[in-house]
Amino acid sequence: MPAVDVGEMSGENASGTWSYSLENSQQPSDSDHESLRQHNILLPAHLQNGQILKGEIPSWMEGILLRNGPGMHTIGESRYNHWFDGMALLHSFTIKNGEVFYRSKYLRSDTYNCNIEANRIVVSEFGTMAYPDPCKNIFSKAFCYLSHTIPEFTDNCLINIMKNGDDFYATSEVNFIRKINPQTLETLEKVDYTKYVAINLATSHPHYDSAGNVLNMGTSIVDKGKTKYVIFKIPSTVPVSEKKKKKRLKHLEVMCTIPSRSLLHPSYYHSFGMSENYIIFVEQPFKLDILKMATAYIRGVNWASCLTFHKDDKTWIHLIDRRTKKVISTKYYADAMVLFHHVNAYEEDDHVIVDIISYTDNSLYHMFYLKNLDSQFESSVKLTSNPSCKRFVLPLQCDQDSEIGSNLVQLPSTTATALKEKDGSIYCQPETLCQGIELPRINYDYNGKKYRYIFATEVKWLPVPTQIVKFDILTKQRLQWEEEHCWPAEPVFVPSPNAKEEDEGIILSTIVTSDSQKLPFLLILDAKTFKEIARATVDVKLHLDLHGSFIPQKDLKTEHEGDLDREQE
C-alpha cells in the first residue's frame, strides 16, 4: 500500500506521469508547474491498462468543475505538520462539446510567494507554526515573537470556491479570500474582509439567496471588548454608477450579530444553515481559546492546539429571522457535539428542520496530521467517532402553557424531540437519519426547502472516503458507487436543464487512486440511477481535495471580460 496520495509533487517520472508522495517530495519549479497546467482527455473512449472505457457526456453538460484543496506540503527542507496546511492547489475539468480538458495550478497567494522565495515555510498555517530564520539577529527574532501575539492569518485559501456575481474566489476560514479566474486558474485580487466588516474568521461555506447574494458568517474576536458572531450579506450586483469598479464588497451589509457565550472562548464553526426565513447557527462546544492563540507563537505550539472540545457543555442552536434580522428569543440546546457540515434546513408546519453531519468528539482533525498518514494509515488510523447525519427539529411555536418535559415537536414524520425545560429553554434530541457519511451535497435548487436526497462520501471509521452514496431520506435507502483502490472526492450535483424531479441530473466526482498502476479520473454518474455515464482518465496523479463547485458555461466570463479583470488587477 503506497503512502496516502495527498497531492505532493515530486517530479516527472519516465512515463510522464507526475508522482505524488508525502515522504519524498520537493516543491516544483515554475517550469515544472506550467507543464502540468493542461491535459486534454477525449471522450467517449480513453485507453487505460489495455481496456477501453466508453462513455458519453450529456450534450447539455458544458462548464467547469473547479476544485480546491491542499497540494504542496514540503518546501525546501521544511514540512507542514498537517494535511490541511498544504499550499492551495486549484484544479479543474472543463467540459465542452463532449470533451474534457484538465488544468491545475497552485494559488499564487502571498503565502505561496513568500514560502517559495525563502525556500522554506515562513508563513504559519493552522497546524504548523513558522518561526524566524535562525540566521536573524536577536532583535529581529524578538520583533517576530511580539508581532505574533495578535496573529495575522495566512491567505492560503485552500478550502472552497465562492461565487459573487460573475466573480469567483478561493476561500478558507480566515479574513482573506483570493479572486481567481476559473478558466485559467490565474490568481487575481487579494481581498481582506476586515476592510468591510469587523471579523477575524469566516466560514468557507457561504449560502446564496434567490437573488444570488452571498450570505456568510464570521467571528469578531474581542472587538471593542466583545466577541461576537457576525452574519453578513454581499450583494450580487452593484449600482449602475459603480459597475466599472465592481466593488460589491463595498456594499456588504451586516444582517445580525450574536454575542459569543464566552468572551475568550468563541465556538469554532465550518458552516451554517439557511431555510427560507431563517439562518441557523450552531454554537458548538468545540471552542477556540483566544489567550492560548495569542501566546501560541511564544509557547512554540500551533493554533490548532488552541481548539478544545468541551464534552460536558451544551450545544446552542440559534435561529435568526431573515425578515427582521434578529435572533429569535427561544433558547434551543442539544448535547455536546462537533460538526463541520450542514446538509440542509427547511420549514414545515411551524417547525424548522435542520440536518447536519455530527461527531461525538473532535478526532477527525487529528487524523490528518501527516505523521498519521503513512503507508499503514488504513489499518492504524481510525476515527473514534463515526460521522452521523442527524436531524434536529426546532418548534417555532412554544406554548407557555405546555407542561415541563413535554415534546413540542408535532411532526409525525420524525422521531426527533424538543423537550420544554423549566427555565423555558428547549432541549433538542435528534433523529439519526444515517451514519458514516461526510462531505454532503444536495441539489442546491432545494436549499432551504423540503428535500429528499443527500449525495455524500462514505467514510466508515476512516478519514478517507471509499464510496459515493445517494441517501433517500424518505425511504432510508442508499445507492452507492465504489471501485477498488478508488478514493472519491465530494460529489457535486448538476441538475439537468428543465429538470422536474429533485434527482434529475448528474454527479461529478474526481477519483484519486491508491494503486500506482491505475490512473485517476473524473467520474460522471446518473444522479437518479447512480449508474456510470462516463469517465475521463487523466495521466496526472490527482491530489485529494476538499471542496469545489460546477460552474455552468453561461456563468463564465468571455475572454474579453477576463482580460478586463487582469487589466484592473
Side-chain angles (χ1 to χ4, degrees), residues 536-551:
T537 57
V538 56
D539 197 13
V540 170
K541 270 291 189 75
L542 296 183
H543 67 300
L544 283 172
D545 55 32
L546 289 170
H547 298 292
S549 60
F550 179 77
I551 308 171

Side-chain angles (χ1 to χ4, degrees), residues 185-198:
L185 304 186
E186 184 180 1
T187 303
L188 302 172
E189 178 186 7
K190 179 181 179 179
V191 175
D192 184 353
Y193 274 136
T194 61
K195 292 182 179 180
Y196 310 97
V197 58

